[in-house]
Amino acid sequence: MSTTPDANGGGVDRPSNVLLLTPSVERDADAVCEELLHATGTDRTHALLVTCLASPADRLAAWTDRGGDPARTTVIDVETASRSAAATAGAGEHLGVPNATVEHVPDATDLIELGNLLERHLSASEGERTSLCLYSLSDLLQATDTRSVFKFVEVLTSAVERANAVAHFHLNPDVHDPDTVATIEVLFETVVDLRDDGTVGH
C-alpha cells in the first residue's frame, strides 16, 4: 500500500500503522506528525501519545490546533536512562491541552508494561476513535535490544488494528545501522521517509 497523509479526509485508503523516519536534521517532523495524527479527518476522539526523552508538555507543544483538540488526550511518559534533567522537570508543567492526563512508565526497558498500558487504552472505551503517536522507537532501541522492540511493535500494531485505531511511530534512521531500520520497517504497512520526502508502501 502506498498513501500520502491527508488531513482533509477523502476516499484514500489509510493504513492503520505508519513508520515515520525522521532524521536528526529534519525540521518538518512535527508538522508531519501532526498531519498523521489527523490523517483520518476529525473523527478521532482520543489522542494517545508516548514520549520518552521529551517531556509531556514539550511534546504536546509541538502540535498546533489544525485538526481541533480531541475529546481526550493521554500522554504516557516513559523514563529512560538518558532522559535529560530539563525533560524530567518539564513533566510537572501545565500541559496546555484540555482534558489531557499523564501516566508514567518508570523504565523504558519494561516493554511489557508499556505494551499492556497501551493495549488497555486502545480497548478502553467502546466507540472511541484513537490516534496513537509513539515518540520514539529510537529511544526504546537505545534503552533495550532490537529483538525486544521488534516483538513490542509487532504486538502493538496488531492491537492498533483490532481497536480500529491509527498509529504512527517515529524512528531516527541517523542513529541506527541500516539493518536495524530495515528490520523495523517490515512491520509497517507504510513508511514515510522524510530523507526522501516520499512514502514507501509495503
Side-chain angles (χ1 to χ4, degrees):
M1 178 187 299
S2 179
T3 184
T4 301
D6 178 5
N8 297 318
V12 179
D13 238 359
R14 306 199 185 280
S16 298
N17 294 287
V18 174
L19 180 64
L20 181 58
L21 297 180
T22 54
S24 302
V25 296
E26 175 55 51
R27 296 181 179 180
D28 297 324
D30 288 338
V32 176
C33 174
E34 180 202 9
E35 188 171 354
L36 286 167
L37 174 71
H38 298 296
T40 55
T42 59
D43 64 337
R44 296 287 144 181
T45 57
H46 181 206
L48 179 58
L49 315 178
V50 179
T51 182
C52 297
L53 290 182
S55 74
D58 287 345
R59 195 69 208 129
L60 285 169
W63 295 357
T64 62
D65 197 22
R66 178 166 74 185
D69 292 325
R72 187 164 73 93
T73 299
T74 305
V75 184
I76 298 176
D77 187 23
V78 182
E79 299 288 344
T80 66
S82 56
R83 191 181 185 88
S84 70
T88 301
E93 295 174 359
H94 178 60
L95 296 177
V97 174
N99 301 316
T101 60
V102 179
E103 299 183 35
H104 298 275
V105 173
D107 186 354
T109 65
D110 192 350
L111 296 180
I112 293 177
E113 179 180 352
L114 176 58
N116 288 341
L117 181 56
L118 286 168
E119 287 200 53
R120 286 200 299 274
H121 277 290
L122 286 168
S123 59
S125 298
E126 209 171 299
E128 192 169 53
R129 305 281 300 215
T130 298
S131 291
L132 166 65
C133 167
L134 195 151
Y135 187 86
S136 71
L137 290 178
S138 292
D139 298 327
L140 298 181
L141 284 164
Q142 290 173 348
T144 184
D145 59 276
T146 303
R147 172 182 264 186
S148 297
V149 173
F150 182 94
K151 183 62 178 175
F152 165 77
V153 175
E154 185 177 41
V155 172
L156 180 55
T157 52
S158 295
V160 168
E161 292 176 0
R162 288 195 305 273
N164 194 28
V166 294
H168 66 276
F169 300 69
H170 293 251
L171 180 72
N172 181 353
D174 290 347
V175 299
H176 307 291
D177 62 79
D179 287 344
T180 298
V181 176
T183 296
I184 299 299
E185 280 183 347
V186 301
L187 293 168
F188 290 89
E189 301 166 66
T190 298
V191 178
V192 177
D193 191 341
L194 296 185
R195 295 172 298 179
D196 302 326
D197 194 27
T199 303
V200 179
H202 292 297

